[in-house]
Amino acid sequence: MSRDQINEKRRHIRVWVRFFPDCFVRLHEPDMRVALLEEFSLGGMRLLVDSNLPKEKLVLGKKIAGTIESENPALRMPFSGQVRWYKMLGDESVGAMHVGIEFDKDIELSEILQSLHTAEKRDGT
Amino acid sequence: MKAMAVNLDFSIPEIFDPFFLELLHRRWTDSHLSLGVEIIDAQHLWIVGLLYKMEIMLNYKDPNVRLAKMTAYARELLNFLKKHLDLEHRVITAAEMPRGKQIIQEQLSFWERLQTAFKLNQEGGINSPEAFVELVKSWLERHIKEEDAYWKLHLSKRHFNPLDFVRAVVVDIEQEAESPHALLYRQLIIAQEVIPGIRKAVLDDLFFLWKRFDVCTKIPLIDMQHLWLFKMVVEVEGMLHISFDERRAHLEKVLGELIEYVGVHFVSEEGLMEKVGYATLRSHRKLHDDFRRTVYKLKDDYYSGNHHALSGLVSLLRQWLLTHIVIEDSKFARFCSGEIEKTVAASRQLIREKQIKIPRDQVLVYSYITARSRAEAS
């Protein structure tokens, strides 16, 4: 699925955190592995994971859970949510994919995430 | 499923680790890497930043995290270097430089070697991150100080302004200006700020206070607010050293903000204490109330014409806040220490319920001070 075909509405400002913060994501479900946090918002996050994650485990809407780990306690948090989209990073030879996750409503977001302001919709809706 | 275009306008690239930025700034200036051509310098800064991160990550203990991060950094570096070299090749070609073709060929040959070094293993990780880092390191300084200095000199000799010349060959100047590397350059090198709007001297004083009094509660919300109070006290104290007439308007404003924020902090702290069932909340609240009354009395004295009340108020704020945090709030920290995760979750719930606000600057100050503390401890 291409990112241009994603059925999602941007309700929150996204923060691009790809390289500079010392954090990563440890997925517990559906598969134990390390992923990199590339971007997050109050509503969810985009991860970079290696392509060895079997595609049958990445069904859209599937439950996903893990922890954001960091030396910064204000970023650290457990999370749960759903896979909303995924996309290979280039062709198979690149060996990585982006995964978009929407957080469950009832999780307590870390202080850093909560310090983000909700984006104002430009169309007023 | 209904298709809908993603509105990328909502994305705000953000450089997020102020303490790393401080280290990066030091490395950039100590190594004399500035060429004086903003667009190129911004790209070089990004390359230096990625490389520096890779060097730090080489020592990371968890092998899975190390490999994942090193691979991602290396991939970004490889892709970014390609774009960077493409731009420089356009500059070299447009400038009709002697030996231009040879320089371009040498750079392409370097990039091909780098691409070879980015060899992935079966798990999708880079095989030898050490070799990758060494290859870029050995090339980068020579590239900036010799190759780029050479075309800059050539342009100057031909009476071209190198900055304008480079701008002219950039394909999309607006995209370049809004790129993460350009944002990083403007913040760190032009504005010289690791946290926008907060001077380095204030951060140094704040770190000194934090370290000296050992006031970390391990509850991020409370630590963030304490740090913000300290920061305001440091700023107010700094103003006491300039003449009264100069400082008066600004001091009154900052002091007003400080007193207001003390109130915000007390309400937040008491809210959290109540939520986690802190047994001595009532006596703690009384201390807050007594302090509030004293502050308002001094403030009223000052506005009634007693200018000496101002310095008394600043001294009181500093002394009381420090003593209160070191003695009284430490008791609360000890109470929470057995169930710190529960306390942190309770504080996050209060933020979610909008009973407490966490401004961005407080998060950045907290991130800076705690990262600097960890670096010093290790």
Side-chain angles (χ1 to χ4, degrees):
Chain A
M1 172 176 283
S2 137
R3 287 202 69 189
D4 293 338
Q5 296 172 312
I6 301 160
N7 180 18
E8 60 177 335
K9 293 178 180 177
R10 295 282 178 214
R11 285 171 293 125
H12 307 291
I13 280 182
R14 287 172 291 148
V15 176
W16 190 82
V17 289
R18 200 166 168 193
F19 296 108
F20 292 97
D22 286 317
C23 67
F24 60 93
V25 173
R26 206 179 288 279
L27 295 175
H28 302 155
E29 194 184 335
D31 195 350
M32 288 296 290
R33 70 183 54 228
V34 167
L36 299 186
L37 179 58
E38 290 215 320
E39 193 179 271
F40 62 66
S41 75
L42 281 170
M45 58 188 171
R46 184 180 74 178
L47 304 182
L48 176 69
V49 294
D50 70 65
S51 61
N52 292 333
L53 187 60
K55 281 185 182 164
E56 64 271 16
K57 292 192 172 181
L58 271 181
V59 179
L60 296 187
K62 192 176 174 87
K63 180 92 177 155
I64 195 162
T67 45
I68 297 177
E69 298 189 16
S70 172
E71 288 191 331
N72 186 342
L75 184 54
R76 217 179 279 159
M77 60 172 257
F79 69 87
S80 60
Q82 290 182 349
V83 177
R84 300 301 292 173
W85 59 268
Y86 60 87
K87 185 192 173 192
M88 294 301 294
L89 199 66
D91 59 31
E92 296 280 343
S93 65
V94 175
M97 65 166 71
H98 283 138
V99 179
I101 292 170
E102 184 179 34
F103 292 139
D104 285 342
K105 296 277 182 289
D106 58 346
I107 62 165
E108 296 300 350
L109 299 175
S110 67
E111 290 77 6
I112 284 179
L113 264 70
Q114 295 210 57
S115 70
L116 307 174
H117 297 289
T118 303
E120 286 179 22
K121 289 266 180 96
R122 292 184 177 187
D123 60 4
T125 57
Chain B
M1 186 178 284
K2 189 184 167 189
M4 182 178 161
V6 177
N7 187 349
L8 293 172
D9 291 342
F10 283 154
S11 184
I12 50 163
E14 187 152 339
I15 309 303
F16 204 63
D17 184 342
F19 184 61
F20 174 72
L21 294 192
E22 186 172 293
L23 300 177
L24 177 60
H25 185 267
R26 200 176 302 155
R27 173 167 280 205
W28 176 262
T29 47
D30 288 355
S31 307
H32 306 286
L33 294 173
S34 175
L35 191 68
V37 182
E38 188 175 321
I39 291 171
I40 300 294
D41 279 341
Q43 295 194 352
H44 286 161
L45 180 66
W46 193 252
I47 295 165
V48 171
L50 289 169
L51 188 62
Y52 194 12
K53 267 285 175 188
M54 286 187 86
E55 286 178 61
I56 294 169
M57 281 306 295
L58 280 174
N59 299 317
Y60 203 86
K61 283 175 191 159
D62 184 324
N64 293 330
V65 176
R66 178 177 177 270
L67 191 65
K69 286 225 163 197
M70 292 302 277
T71 307
Y73 288 131
R75 185 183 287 117
E76 168 71 11
L77 203 42
L78 192 66
N79 292 337
F80 191 81
L81 272 168
K82 182 79 174 75
K83 285 181 206 158
H84 173 66
L85 292 177
D86 281 349
L87 171 62
E88 292 207 349
H89 294 169
R90 284 200 300 280
V91 173
I92 290 168
T93 306
E96 296 174 347
M97 274 179 58
R99 291 203 304 113
K101 280 185 182 167
Q102 187 192 333
I103 293 169
I104 291 172
Q105 200 46 53
E106 283 169 8
Q107 290 184 343
L108 287 175
S109 153
F110 157 74
W111 193 79
E112 279 162 15
R113 274 184 289 138
L114 197 63
Q115 205 176 18
T116 310
F118 184 68
K119 201 181 284 174
L120 301 182
N121 58 26
Q122 282 187 332
E123 284 76 43
I126 183 170
N127 260 334
S128 176
E130 293 85 357
F132 188 93
V133 167
E134 275 313 308
L135 185 58
V136 181
K137 260 177 85 173
S138 61
W139 171 82
L140 188 60
E141 189 149 329
R142 187 177 55 81
H143 167 73
I144 295 176
K145 291 185 176 173
E146 293 175 23
E147 290 174 349
D148 288 355
Y150 177 60
W151 63 247
K152 189 188 167 194
L153 181 67
H154 174 76
L155 287 173
S156 300
K157 276 182 181 169
R158 292 184 62 196
H159 307 293
F160 285 116
N161 179 331
L163 184 60
D164 292 340
F165 197 91
V166 172
R167 282 178 66 87
V169 300
V170 170
V171 176
D172 188 338
I173 197 72
E174 274 185 30
Q175 191 184 43
E176 183 67 23
E178 289 165 12
S179 62
H181 55 271
L183 291 178
L184 174 65
Y185 183 81
R186 285 200 291 275
Q187 180 187 322
L188 193 60
I189 307 300
I190 296 181
Q192 305 251 327
E193 288 175 332
V194 295
I195 300 175
I198 300 179
R199 287 182 301 117
K200 171 80 171 80
V202 171
L203 289 173
D204 285 343
D205 284 352
L206 197 50
F207 179 68
F208 176 72
L209 271 179
W210 187 252
K211 201 175 89 169
R212 184 176 169 201
F213 293 100
D214 190 20
V215 285
C216 178
T217 64
K218 294 193 169 56
I219 307 162
L221 167 70
I222 300 297
D223 287 341
M224 278 176 200
Q225 293 196 339
H226 285 164
L227 275 167
W228 198 249
L229 285 170
F230 284 171
K231 179 224 161 227
M232 293 175 114
V233 169
V234 164
E235 284 177 339
V236 169
E237 278 188 328
M239 287 179 206
L240 291 179
H241 302 300
I242 50 179
S243 74
F244 181 75
D245 287 338
E246 278 180 62
R247 75 187 184 221
R248 184 173 180 170
H250 197 193
L251 185 56
E252 284 174 4
K253 178 178 172 285
V254 175
L255 200 56
E257 288 170 359
L258 172 55
I259 292 169
E260 190 186 331
Y261 191 71
V262 166
V264 169
H265 169 61
F266 285 173
V267 169
S268 305
E269 198 173 81
E270 289 165 16
L272 181 60
M273 287 173 172
E274 193 170 347
K275 205 164 182 68
V276 297
Y278 186 44
T280 52
L281 167 60
R282 187 178 288 182
S283 60
H284 199 103
R285 184 177 274 147
K286 186 175 179 313
L287 291 171
H288 286 170
D289 291 343
D290 290 347
F291 179 65
R292 267 196 203 99
R293 271 193 291 277
T294 311
V295 166
Y296 283 118
K297 186 184 174 307
L298 281 168
K299 197 179 161 194
D300 289 346
D301 283 355
Y302 169 72
Y303 282 107
S304 308
N306 176 9
H307 288 174
H308 296 295
L310 199 61
S311 54
L313 185 51
V314 174
S315 301
L316 174 76
L317 280 164
R318 180 194 162 92
Q319 286 311 320
W320 190 91
L321 284 171
L322 273 174
T323 312
H324 179 76
I325 291 169
V326 170
I327 298 172
E328 299 301 328
D329 289 349
S330 294
K331 291 178 190 167
F332 178 55
R334 281 195 292 280
F335 170 81
C336 298
S337 61
E339 292 185 304
I340 196 73
E341 285 179 11
K342 194 177 141 196
T343 311
V344 170
S347 70
R348 289 174 175 178
Q349 194 181 350
L350 287 171
I351 303 168
R352 177 161 60 84
E353 289 165 354
K354 311 246 182 284
Q355 294 185 44
I356 301 172
K357 273 188 189 170
I358 294 286
R360 290 288 294 137
D361 285 354
Q362 286 184 23
V363 169
L364 290 173
V365 168
Y366 171 84
S367 297
Y368 172 85
I369 296 293
T370 52
R372 189 166 162 182
S373 302
R374 283 193 302 273
E376 199 170 273
S378 65

